[in-house]
Amino acid sequence: MPLGMNKHGSRSTTSLPPDPTEIVRSKACSRRVKLNVGGLAHEVLWRTLDRLPRTRLGKLRDCNTHDSLMEICDDYNLEENEYFFDRHPGAFTSILNFYRTGKLHMMEEMCALSFSQELDYWGVDEIYLESCCQARYHQKKEQMNEELKREAETLREREGEEFDNTCCAEKRKKLWDLLEKPNSSVAAKILAIISIMFIVLSTIALSLNTLPELQGVDEFGQTTDNPQLAHVEAVCIAWFTMEYLLRFLSSPKKWKFFKGPLNAIDLLAILPYYVTIFLTESNKSVLQFQNVRRVVQIFRIMRILRILKLARHSTGLQSLGFTLRRSYNELGLLILFLAMGIMIFSSLVFFAEKDEDDTKFKSIPASFWWATITMTTVGYGDIYPKTLLGKIVGGLCCIAGVLVIALPIPIIVNNFSEFYKEQKRQEKAIKRREALERAKRNGSIVSMNMKDAFARSIELMDIVVEKNGESIAKKDKVQDNHLSPSKWKWTKRTLSETSSSKSFETKEQGSPEKARSSSSPQHLNVQQLEDMYNKMAKTQSQPNLNTKESSQAAKQKEELEMETLPGPMVPLLATRTDGIIDMRSMSSIDSFISCAAEFPDTGRFSHSPLTALPCKGGISLIQEQARPEGSGARYVEVNPSSESSHRSAFFIESPKSSIKVSNPLKLRSLKVNFMEEDTSTLVPASNVLRTYPDPLKSRGAIAAATDTSLLSDRSLMSPETSIYTTASARTPPKSPESQAAIAFNFHDAGIHKYIDADTDDEGQLMYDSSPPGNVSPKYSVANSGYLKQKDHVYRTEKNHLEAAALPTSPKLIGQNCIYSMEGITGRTQGNQETVRLENHISPEVHVLPGSGGHANTHDQSI
Amino acid sequence: KMAGDSRFPDVDVDGAEKSEEMEIVVNVGGVRQVFYGDNLNQYPETRLAELVNCLSGGYDSIFSLCDDYDPGKREFYFDRDPDAFKCIIDVYYFGEIHMKKGICPICFKNEMEFWKVDLKFLDDCCKAHLSEKKEELEEIARRVQLILDDLGVDASESRWKRCQKCIWKFLEKPESSYPARVIAVLSFLFILISSVVMCVGTIPDLQVVDSEGNRMEHPTLDSIETACIGWFTVEYVLRLISSPNKLHFALSFMNIVDVLAILPFYISLTLTHLGAKLMELSNVQQAVQALRIMRIARIFKLARHSSGLQTLTYALKRSFKELGLLLMYLAVGIFVFSALGYTMEQSHPETLFKSIPQSFWWAIITMTTVGYGDIYPKTTLGKLNAAISFLCGVIAIALPIHPIINNFVRYYNKQRVLETAAKHELELMELNSAEGKAAGSRSELEDLSREGKEGPFYSSRIKVSHSDTFIHLLSEEKHYRTRLQSCK
């Protein structure tokens, strides 16, 4: 095959990749290599790259096959000795300098978060960042993490406001909105204003009550409240009480409501009144009336707390409270400074003044008052120094006071303004998100910037991991001696690396193309997947060893058949049974991440249906099926005997296929035979991972294809991630050809895989699968980080295209592996509806016309 | 690997053409640039000029300067950052260098050193940026060194030395261990108690009258005081014994404060017991009274336990100039307004302003907005003057205080950042040392181990560091050499 074929963009449509020897020769003929990163050309010595052999660029040198190269870079040109990476060019400059000088600096204007993503992609650990840049980097990251944490909290709070499973939920929700969200409607706003008026009114009444002219005198000669004002007070208290009770009744979570600081204030504002009434009524004529009076007085003072009720209506007051809470360190400093100053100056002034006649500085504690008044520059003048020495001390005290008070205050102010800004921003963000959701529901938004969403979810993942990642962190050190702060990411990367590298050493297949692709068979071997799985299982600390063994046995009996059919084979769809088929778009990286974010959450994880569908580039199809525990009847539908009748057809449409109708459409059906495996009875649900590698092109792609997706229980989904999911992947139902099949117009906005236009004219694919066994194929490996994953997606697609040119129908290669997990089933009790619900990550999926027979879920991704 | 080597033809010594007219092509990390010899020779000490001059010297000299050479295109290849290079070549055209925005100044400095362009060519506007960063790095390096000093337990040291170090750590580093923290808290409590005792002791109700009619402190308070002083003394002595550098220890600010807190007690003790023989009793008592004031020093001991107070002292030290400015403004204001106030109040028969020095007090109290009300103007003109002096006082205080506050806030914020940076630095060193052991091929490592100039302890610890933080500790020349060696 001529080298010239390997021009940019041309290779994906032409069929043959270059021979490894060509690659080696090309590499050998120059000491330098050209790296084109996002259009910016760099030239670097090979040996410079060798300095960090474990990074992406370091591995570039050792890759001598087309597939391994494609795994590392996005494109290459052997003639020019140029390798193309589709990444941010700015960050790459700093990273390449790291190879050259051994010192990782960071461009100053670069965002720390995006730089960290770049570092991940290039396989450089952020710990290498030099101290001069590291401070900025970590500051920014921490700040972002904090922000996300807070955001997650608010979202969780919002999520908490679910009004289900109780009576008149609808009405209660309305009431709640009315009382708690003044922005939700005009009525709510009016209500809030009335509430504020009552607060102000009652406070004024409280103050007026102490005016001697307005007070009455009772029979004991004691002053009492003015009767008019007492009425006002009663009305206000009645309003407050009513408000509080309504809130309490309508609140979704009573205990949480009770604990909330604002509600505690409300309660404290109301209670004194009732206590007073109770005490005076019950002890009217009793002897200890005087004592009661004293208690009542105390409770009267507590009435002043109602002014704090204003905090509910003002974000400013709330931020003040939060700021004080957050900057207690600085407040402590302020008080410490003042205390020290007071002590020093009061003792000084005491020694200066004590010999004066009739001095007021009688002792050091007595002069504390003077020092305080002077340092705060209040200066009442009730006590002041008279001697010369005392006056000098006094003057110094004034200046010191001004200084000492002024110093820590800017820090507190800074905290306040930051928080205030943050609060405002967050309010806006929530509004924006609501608008977005509304728009999505209406279907007016096709896609959104997923990269952004991704970054956030990655960060969120980090945060979640941080909490319970201690054990994971330990493990990581074993795997990798990088002391990365973001250990979790490293793990994933390592996993994916092992998987991809091992794929080289797999055996060859009997495909006609074998000769050409000899060096790179692509077969994920079982052992290694298992390794990966083990690692994960360990991190979950979830004992499911026995399930694994049994499923392993099951795997051996599996057979896969694969056919490539020319032309759009719509007829196949007709054969489909009532099976299952709930389709879900899985390529959404977000969904992966959102699941992954919950992954370490081991406590709840035990009943999450860990299902994952490695369907990459439309090559592979995976079906999964949940087997409810103890309800064998469920399996009737997937009876092994009715093998042929059970076919499910999927119709996947790439976004571009509708445009390029003229393209040769590739249809491929996969027939899957599962043998019944009885040994798995112990196992509630055995999970099988099936990867269907393209036989022609089974290069390192399988490892890639085991893109991981975890389906998790809906309840497991953290609210924030679910939002991202919905944002990232839309799967409107579209089934013009057949009712039975579910068609997807799959739009994946975030993945860059469509950048190369040539790669996605794969047209329409058809999958036919027959799940005869009761093996519940379900599997998952969370192996790769996002970057890898993305890369793989891209590559797999290409492979797929190349394969398309060859009309042969080779047989299936790969077997894969079975993994079992404690599944969904423990909980589902055979209720498929529930299963489906739980499996869905994005709400949109409900829209799909799933024929919904059983608990099978087919997930696909392009 | 070096497949390119075979392509090198014979050395073209046809350098008949003078280097001044020569045109050389330089490829830096993929960016091509054409230079003229005479242009480069303006600065003969720079790397590019050396390159021009050694062209006739054969391949060895060429390869000692650049990373690759393509005789066909007469192109020299350098494996360096092209962005920084583009800035650095400005020196040949304009005689000065401006840092491109966004490049880390430390990184840029290293590049300049590689190209052997003197730092003086960097323009002043960019130099400030660089020196700021450098200072930060030095601070980090100091911290790292401190941490390393603490970490270092050499088995070779004598038992006494090790014991010393142990005590030192115990007393000086509360975060090092749990008992050390307990000790720190205890010491803090003692300071508090002794301060409170000092204050409470002056309350007349709690004092007792001795045989001669003099007021004495309550005996209970006295014994508490003694106990506290005992603790302080033990603490100080232990610190002094265990300190590695006695002189440095004795002269440091915090330890002077410690001495001042202890000394008055012992001096008054000796005075009351021995002084009676030497001088009159009343004199002794006066001296003891005077020494009591010095007890206040113990409050400053709190600074040892609060980073905030240390920051304050640091900020005040740093903003000495601004403090002087503040005092000067105030002094000028006081003089002016007290004189004005005095003259204006003369017309009033019952004036409170009896003399100018007396009205100083009024001026201070007014300008700092305290306003006791013991002296106040009574005439209209005097009141006007008071209003103006009050305004001027606010401004005079507010203006110089701002830089002081700035210093404080900056240092306060930096404190945390530097702390994490130092930790990071250590991690990096650890990582590098681990890698160095594994690979053993990192040239810098050998380079550094050869370098013994950081002191015996230092070099044993930091020999593996190749971080920029320590760049000032290394000799750059060696750096290049080994770098090039490693490339070959």
Side-chain angles (χ1 to χ4, degrees):
Chain A
M1 171 183 170
L3 277 173
M5 298 286 283
N6 267 344
K7 289 269 169 170
H8 288 276
S10 61
R11 196 191 52 254
S12 45
T13 43
T14 57
S15 48
L16 303 177
D19 194 88
T21 53
E22 304 275 6
I23 294 172
V24 173
R25 194 182 310 148
S26 154
K27 278 180 177 176
C29 71
S30 175
R31 300 174 67 203
R32 289 177 246 159
V33 59
K34 283 188 192 119
L35 301 173
N36 186 342
V37 178
L40 206 68
H42 297 265
E43 211 169 346
V44 68
L45 292 173
W46 277 114
R47 62 170 186 236
T48 306
L49 299 184
D50 281 345
R51 287 180 193 163
L52 295 165
R54 266 179 301 173
T55 57
R56 184 176 282 264
L57 285 175
K59 276 185 272 183
L60 186 66
R61 178 76 190 268
D62 303 324
C63 293
N64 291 330
T65 61
H66 169 77
D67 286 298
S68 54
L69 269 179
M70 286 313 281
E71 207 152 287
I72 281 168
C73 63
D74 292 321
D75 203 353
Y76 61 90
N77 185 342
L78 288 182
E79 266 187 345
E80 299 277 325
N81 194 20
E82 184 168 335
Y83 297 85
F84 177 74
F85 296 87
D86 204 358
R87 300 300 294 191
H88 188 285
F92 182 71
T93 315
S94 345
I95 288 164
L96 194 60
N97 279 337
F98 178 48
Y99 287 85
R100 288 167 173 154
T101 60
K103 291 169 181 93
L104 184 56
H105 290 272
M106 170 182 163
M107 294 291 273
E108 280 188 344
E109 73 268 30
M110 182 112 197
C111 172
L113 290 178
S114 83
F115 191 69
S116 115
Q117 277 173 36
E118 292 297 319
L119 285 183
D120 272 352
Y121 175 82
W122 295 107
V124 177
D125 198 317
E126 62 185 10
I127 196 164
Y128 288 107
L129 208 58
E130 287 296 317
S131 300
C132 50
C133 305
Q134 176 262 358
R136 199 158 40 89
Y137 178 79
H138 281 286
Q139 226 171 357
K140 180 86 187 175
K141 259 196 129 176
E142 243 164 56
Q143 193 185 329
M144 205 60 210
N145 278 355
E146 223 166 76
E147 209 168 282
L148 285 162
K149 227 182 277 176
R150 213 175 307 143
E151 208 164 287
E153 250 162 47
T154 46
L155 277 164
R156 210 167 292 138
E157 263 164 36
R158 280 151 50 81
E159 184 78 2
E161 293 169 14
E162 293 283 317
F163 292 85
D164 37 46
N165 67 38
T166 38
C167 57
C168 38
E170 190 68 12
K171 274 180 197 147
R172 275 177 51 198
K173 181 163 169 43
K174 258 187 197 152
L175 193 59
W176 180 250
D177 283 347
L178 196 66
L179 291 167
E180 282 282 319
K181 294 169 186 158
N183 291 329
S184 62
S185 67
V186 179
K189 207 166 266 175
I190 290 171
L191 214 63
I193 289 170
I194 292 174
S195 185
I196 291 172
M197 302 245 287
F198 268 109
I199 293 169
V200 173
L201 187 68
S202 74
T203 321
I204 291 172
L206 192 72
S207 323
L208 285 181
N209 235 338
T210 57
L211 278 180
E213 299 93 74
L214 292 178
Q215 281 174 334
V217 179
D218 65 0
E219 66 264 35
F220 297 102
Q222 305 280 358
T223 53
T224 53
D225 294 352
N226 185 305
Q228 274 90 37
L229 289 176
H231 287 172
V232 171
E233 172 82 7
V235 170
C236 289
I237 287 291
W239 171 267
F240 294 153
T241 316
M242 188 195 74
E243 207 183 11
Y244 185 79
L245 285 180
L246 282 180
R247 277 210 175 105
F248 186 70
L249 285 178
S250 66
S251 79
K253 285 186 180 142
K254 303 284 188 258
W255 177 238
K256 210 175 145 209
F257 175 85
F258 191 72
K259 274 196 305 184
L262 288 176
N263 298 316
I265 287 173
D266 280 4
L267 196 62
L268 281 179
I270 307 166
L271 269 188
Y273 186 80
Y274 291 107
V275 173
T276 315
I277 288 180
F278 172 75
L279 283 177
T280 44
E281 290 305 312
S282 61
N283 298 304
K284 201 121 206 191
S285 53
V286 190
L287 288 171
Q288 67 265 36
F289 188 69
Q290 278 304 318
N291 291 341
V292 172
R293 266 196 89 83
R294 215 167 291 147
V295 174
V296 167
Q297 282 300 326
I298 291 169
F299 277 109
R300 282 174 79 98
I301 295 166
M302 278 179 68
R303 283 192 202 171
I304 209 66
L305 280 174
R306 70 185 56 159
I307 196 79
L308 292 179
K309 273 169 72 77
L310 281 178
R312 184 188 289 280
H313 304 284
S314 147
T315 40
L317 270 177
Q318 282 170 29
S319 2
L320 181 67
F322 189 86
T323 309
L324 292 186
R325 229 186 313 157
R326 210 163 63 153
S327 43
Y328 66 93
N329 232 333
E330 287 78 21
L331 276 179
L333 203 64
L334 177 64
I335 288 167
L336 183 75
F337 283 175
L338 267 184
M340 276 187 67
I342 287 168
M343 265 206 177
I344 288 162
F345 284 107
S346 61
S347 38
L348 281 178
V349 85
F350 168 71
F351 286 117
E353 291 275 324
K354 65 176 177 162
D355 295 329
E356 274 298 280
D357 308 332
D358 94 56
T359 177
K360 282 182 174 158
F361 298 92
K362 294 215 173 67
S363 66
I364 294 178
S367 42
F368 279 176
W369 170 243
W370 169 83
T372 315
I373 293 305
T374 306
M375 284 196 86
T376 53
T377 72
V378 171
Y380 288 125
D382 51 347
I383 186 174
Y384 51 87
K386 281 169 187 150
T387 62
L388 177 65
L389 215 59
K391 282 181 178 174
I392 293 172
V393 171
L396 287 178
C397 185
C398 299
I399 297 168
V402 170
L403 263 181
V404 148
I405 290 179
L407 286 182
I409 280 185
I411 302 170
I412 301 174
V413 167
N414 226 18
N415 273 349
F416 175 77
S417 66
E418 230 166 70
F419 181 73
Y420 191 72
K421 241 187 285 167
E422 180 62 27
Q423 192 99 338
K424 287 264 170 226
R425 218 180 51 83
Q426 220 165 298
E427 269 169 25
K428 259 179 220 156
I430 286 173
K431 252 179 227 163
R432 205 181 50 211
R433 200 167 303 141
E434 270 166 4
L436 194 74
E437 264 167 52
R438 220 175 301 129
K440 251 189 296 146
R441 237 170 273 141
N442 301 342
S444 58
I445 293 183
V446 179
S447 71
M448 72 176 269
N449 187 354
M450 203 178 96
K451 192 154 189 185
D452 180 43
F454 166 72
R456 278 153 178 277
S457 48
I458 269 275
E459 291 300 326
L460 280 170
M461 183 173 76
D462 279 353
I463 293 160
V464 179
V465 169
E466 249 169 50
K467 288 178 191 158
N468 40 15
E470 289 311 306
S471 59
I472 300 167
K474 267 179 214 151
K475 267 186 57 61
D476 279 321
K477 271 187 191 153
V478 184
Q479 292 173 6
D480 194 305
N481 62 355
H482 289 280
L483 303 162
S484 165
S486 57
K487 271 142 184 157
W488 183 243
K489 272 189 253 171
W490 261 106
T491 332
K492 280 184 285 145
R493 191 156 53 217
T494 343
L495 284 173
S496 70
E497 274 165 17
T498 48
S499 67
S500 54
S501 63
K502 279 197 190 154
S503 61
F504 299 137
E505 57 192 51
T506 46
K507 49 220 129 156
E508 306 189 348
Q509 312 114 29
S511 95
E513 261 60 47
K514 166 175 89 181
R516 200 154 42 77
S517 61
S518 57
S519 61
S520 62
Q522 219 64 274
H523 219 115
L524 236 209
N525 87 42
V526 180
Q527 194 53 46
Q528 145 200 5
L529 260 176
E530 225 166 55
D531 283 349
M532 277 151 57
Y533 178 76
N534 279 344
K535 280 178 196 163
M536 290 177 47
K538 261 184 240 156
T539 53
Q540 293 169 47
S541 63
Q542 192 182 347
N544 44 9
L545 291 167
N546 52 348
T547 58
K548 207 190 320 164
E549 278 166 26
S550 57
S551 54
Q552 215 172 339
K555 152 214 76 189
Q556 283 155 5
K557 299 188 185 166
E558 271 176 10
E559 245 182 70
L560 293 171
E561 257 182 56
M562 202 174 193
E563 302 170 0
T564 310
L565 305 174
M569 294 291 289
V570 186
L572 251 180
L573 299 170
T575 62
R576 204 176 145 278
T577 61
D578 59 337
I580 330 146
I581 319 311
D582 198 335
M583 257 181 172
R584 201 160 54 79
S585 74
M586 276 306 296
S587 74
S588 145
I589 277 144
D590 272 343
S591 58
F592 157 62
I593 274 152
S594 59
C595 303
E598 289 298 328
F599 186 67
D601 212 342
T602 57
R604 297 181 295 175
F605 198 74
S606 51
H607 30 179
S608 77
L610 224 207
T611 56
L613 305 166
C615 306
K616 262 338 181 70
I619 298 172
S620 52
L621 160 79
I622 296 224
Q623 25 169 264
E624 59 180 53
Q625 175 180 6
R627 177 154 38 128
E629 192 172 31
S631 62
R634 291 285 148 209
Y635 288 107
V636 178
E637 284 159 314
V638 249
N639 207 312
S641 58
S642 55
E643 224 179 274
S644 55
S645 65
H646 281 264
R647 324 195 112 201
S648 50
F650 297 92
F651 181 75
I652 303 179
E653 192 183 15
S654 100
K656 298 212 176 170
S657 62
S658 50
I659 306 163
K660 303 187 176 183
V661 195
S662 59
N663 276 348
L665 299 179
K666 258 182 317 160
L667 285 170
R668 197 169 304 146
S669 71
L670 306 175
K671 207 190 283 169
V672 188
N673 297 325
F674 293 96
M675 302 297 285
E676 169 94 43
E677 174 55 49
D678 279 323
T679 57
S680 61
T681 42
L682 288 172
V683 190
S686 65
N687 309 320
V688 180
L689 160 66
R690 317 202 132 234
T691 41
Y692 300 81
D694 186 330
L696 305 177
K697 284 281 146 188
S698 54
R699 301 280 158 84
I702 290 197
T706 55
D707 164 25
T708 71
S709 338
L710 310 178
L711 278 191
S712 54
D713 188 335
R714 197 160 171 258
S715 64
L716 282 181
M717 297 280 304
S718 69
E720 63 277 10
T721 47
S722 67
I723 279 185
Y724 295 134
T725 325
T726 59
S728 57
R730 256 182 91 250
T731 56
K734 175 186 169 199
S735 55
E737 280 94 342
S738 82
Q739 273 78 7
I742 297 150
F744 269 84
N745 183 358
F746 185 74
H747 186 100
D748 191 343
I751 305 182
H752 299 314
K753 61 184 178 179
Y754 294 125
I755 285 171
D756 192 342
D758 297 30
T759 57
D760 44 17
D761 52 352
E762 45 203 278
Q764 302 181 326
L765 309 173
M766 201 99 105
Y767 291 96
D768 178 19
S769 72
S770 62
N774 64 351
V775 195
S776 36
K778 180 152 62 104
Y779 149 64
S780 92
V781 176
N783 63 346
S784 67
Y786 164 67
L787 299 168
K788 276 266 174 204
Q789 199 177 344
K790 186 162 93 183
D791 209 28
H792 292 162
V793 173
Y794 180 41
R795 206 154 307 120
T796 334
E797 257 179 20
K798 282 186 179 169
N799 287 345
H800 170 64
L801 277 170
E802 282 164 295
L806 303 156
T808 48
S809 72
K811 68 182 112 121
L812 132 73
I813 342 153
Q815 171 358 28
N816 321 325
C817 76
I818 308 177
Y819 286 118
S820 51
M821 297 262 328
E822 259 189 278
I824 317 167
T825 54
R827 268 160 29 123
T828 50
Q829 298 286 347
N831 181 347
Q832 290 101 350
E833 279 306 308
T834 335
V835 175
R836 254 190 355 174
L837 254 173
E838 285 176 344
N839 282 348
H840 289 327
I841 288 184
S842 70
E844 273 81 359
V845 186
H846 294 292
V847 183
L848 295 171
S851 44
H854 36 106
N856 260 355
T857 320
H858 290 253
D859 290 17
Q860 314 198 340
S861 66
I862 295 180
Chain B
K1 181 177 167 186
M2 300 291 164
D5 286 6
S6 58
R7 290 194 304 170
F8 289 125
D10 303 352
V11 186
D12 63 324
V13 206
D14 59 352
E17 39 184 339
K18 299 285 283 176
S19 65
E20 278 76 36
E21 298 137 27
M22 215 174 58
E23 197 180 298
I24 69 166
V25 182
V26 175
N27 178 349
V28 178
V31 173
R32 263 175 203 81
Q33 194 88 28
V34 181
F35 290 102
Y36 295 97
D38 51 348
N39 220 347
L40 296 180
N41 271 330
Q42 289 173 61
Y43 304 102
E45 74 281 5
T46 59
R47 185 174 282 262
L48 285 175
E50 277 176 29
L51 191 68
V52 173
N53 296 330
C54 74
L55 269 186
S56 50
Y59 278 116
D60 280 346
S61 55
I62 291 177
F63 271 88
S64 69
L65 288 168
C66 69
D67 292 320
D68 201 358
Y69 176 59
D70 187 347
K73 296 185 211 156
R74 298 179 63 88
E75 181 183 293
F76 299 93
Y77 175 77
F78 292 90
D79 202 5
R80 301 300 292 194
D81 182 13
D83 284 350
F85 179 71
K86 274 184 221 155
C87 299
I88 288 169
I89 55 173
D90 278 352
V91 78
Y92 299 110
Y93 302 119
F94 310 116
E96 60 180 33
I97 296 176
H98 289 270
M99 222 181 285
K100 189 180 152 195
K101 211 173 160 241
I103 296 181
C104 174
I106 302 292
C107 178
F108 192 78
K109 196 193 86 187
N110 292 341
E111 290 297 321
M112 282 183 73
E113 274 157 9
F114 174 82
W115 295 107
K116 296 184 186 167
V117 175
D118 201 277
L119 268 184
K120 73 182 179 214
F121 292 115
L122 194 61
D123 206 61
D124 287 339
C125 57
C126 306
K127 244 181 204 154
H129 196 27
L130 175 65
S131 61
E132 202 178 292
K133 276 276 181 208
K134 257 185 178 167
E135 253 170 50
E136 213 170 273
L137 283 185
E138 269 160 30
E139 180 63 31
I140 292 172
R142 216 173 303 134
R143 273 157 193 271
V144 169
Q145 199 174 348
L146 265 181
I147 296 175
L148 284 178
D149 283 345
D150 294 344
L151 283 179
V153 179
D154 270 338
S156 58
E157 279 175 337
S158 67
R159 208 149 129 236
W160 164 242
K161 271 251 168 87
R162 253 181 293 159
C163 188
Q164 221 180 4
K165 205 162 251 168
C166 244
I167 298 173
W168 179 250
K169 244 166 93 179
F170 197 58
L171 291 170
E172 284 278 319
K173 318 276 175 208
E175 65 277 1
S176 66
S177 68
Y178 187 71
R181 200 167 300 145
V182 171
I183 292 290
V185 170
L186 259 182
S187 148
F188 182 77
L189 281 181
F190 267 111
I191 296 168
L192 268 189
I193 288 170
S194 72
S195 308
V196 168
V197 163
M198 182 187 76
C199 298
V200 169
T202 58
I203 297 176
D205 300 346
L206 293 176
Q207 286 174 337
V208 288
V209 180
D210 68 357
S211 50
E212 286 149 49
N214 283 324
R215 288 185 167 272
M216 292 276 292
E217 273 190 12
H218 201 273
T220 334
L221 294 179
D222 227 15
S223 50
I224 294 174
E225 167 86 8
T226 316
C228 289
I229 290 291
W231 171 271
F232 294 154
T233 315
V234 170
E235 207 183 8
Y236 182 75
V237 170
L238 276 179
R239 277 206 174 113
L240 185 65
I241 289 172
S242 66
S243 81
N245 187 346
K246 302 280 189 290
L247 188 70
H248 188 258
F249 177 84
L251 288 181
S252 80
F253 175 72
M254 282 321 300
N255 295 312
I256 290 174
V257 166
D258 280 3
V259 176
L260 284 181
I262 306 167
L263 266 191
F265 181 82
Y266 289 105
I267 292 176
S268 58
L269 204 69
T270 45
L271 275 182
T272 42
H273 282 271
L274 303 173
K277 295 166 196 165
L278 302 174
M279 46 182 136
E280 282 177 43
L281 196 69
S282 59
N283 283 350
V284 171
Q285 270 171 351
Q286 265 174 354
V288 170
Q289 280 298 318
L291 283 172
R292 291 177 85 97
I293 304 176
M294 285 182 60
R295 286 192 190 178
I296 300 164
R298 71 187 54 167
I299 295 169
F300 288 108
K301 271 170 74 78
L302 282 178
R304 193 188 282 282
H305 301 281
S306 154
S307 63
L309 274 175
Q310 280 163 12
T311 312
L312 176 67
T313 49
Y314 181 85
L316 290 184
K317 237 189 278 170
R318 284 296 288 266
S319 34
F320 222 72
K321 235 164 65 184
E322 285 84 7
L323 272 180
L325 206 65
L326 173 67
L327 288 181
M328 199 194 71
Y329 283 174
L330 271 183
V332 169
I334 287 165
F335 270 106
V336 169
F337 290 110
S338 60
L340 278 178
Y342 171 74
T343 41
M344 281 162 186
E345 286 291 307
Q346 282 311 88
S347 56
H348 202 273
E350 292 165 21
T351 178
L352 296 165
F353 295 74
K354 301 229 166 61
S355 68
I356 290 183
Q358 256 195 340
S359 43
F360 280 173
W361 171 243
W362 166 83
I364 293 174
I365 291 307
T366 309
M367 285 186 79
T368 54
T369 71
V370 171
Y372 288 126
D374 50 345
I375 303 178
Y376 51 91
K378 283 170 181 164
T379 61
T380 320
L381 270 180
K383 283 177 184 166
L384 203 69
N385 173 51
I388 294 169
S389 77
F390 153 76
L391 275 177
C392 289
V394 170
I395 292 168
I397 289 176
L399 289 186
I401 240 177
H402 190 249
I404 301 175
I405 291 174
N406 244 7
N407 268 344
F408 177 80
V409 171
R410 219 179 44 201
Y411 192 70
Y412 185 83
N413 287 335
K414 225 164 81 177
Q415 205 81 352
R416 252 179 322 167
V417 172
L418 289 180
E419 202 60 53
T420 54
K423 273 185 200 132
H424 167 85
E425 187 67 35
L426 277 176
E427 263 175 48
L428 194 61
M429 279 162 56
E430 223 168 90
L431 187 72
N432 286 327
S433 69
E435 250 169 39
K437 271 169 209 151
S441 61
R442 294 294 281 263
S443 62
E444 278 114 327
L445 310 188
E446 308 155 21
D447 178 31
L448 275 169
S449 56
R450 246 181 275 135
E451 217 144 321
K453 70 172 202 175
E454 294 101 351
F457 173 69
Y458 213 66
S459 61
S460 68
R461 275 262 146 203
I462 312 191
K463 61 184 163 204
V464 287
S465 162
H466 71 297
S467 154
D468 273 343
T469 312
F470 291 94
I471 215 80
H472 57 282
L473 299 171
L474 313 175
S475 93
E476 283 301 301
E477 293 302 316
K478 268 186 194 166
H479 227 64
Y480 294 136
R481 197 162 36 76
T482 41
R483 202 189 61 78
L484 287 165
Q485 277 166 3
S486 74
C487 294
K488 290 267 164 70

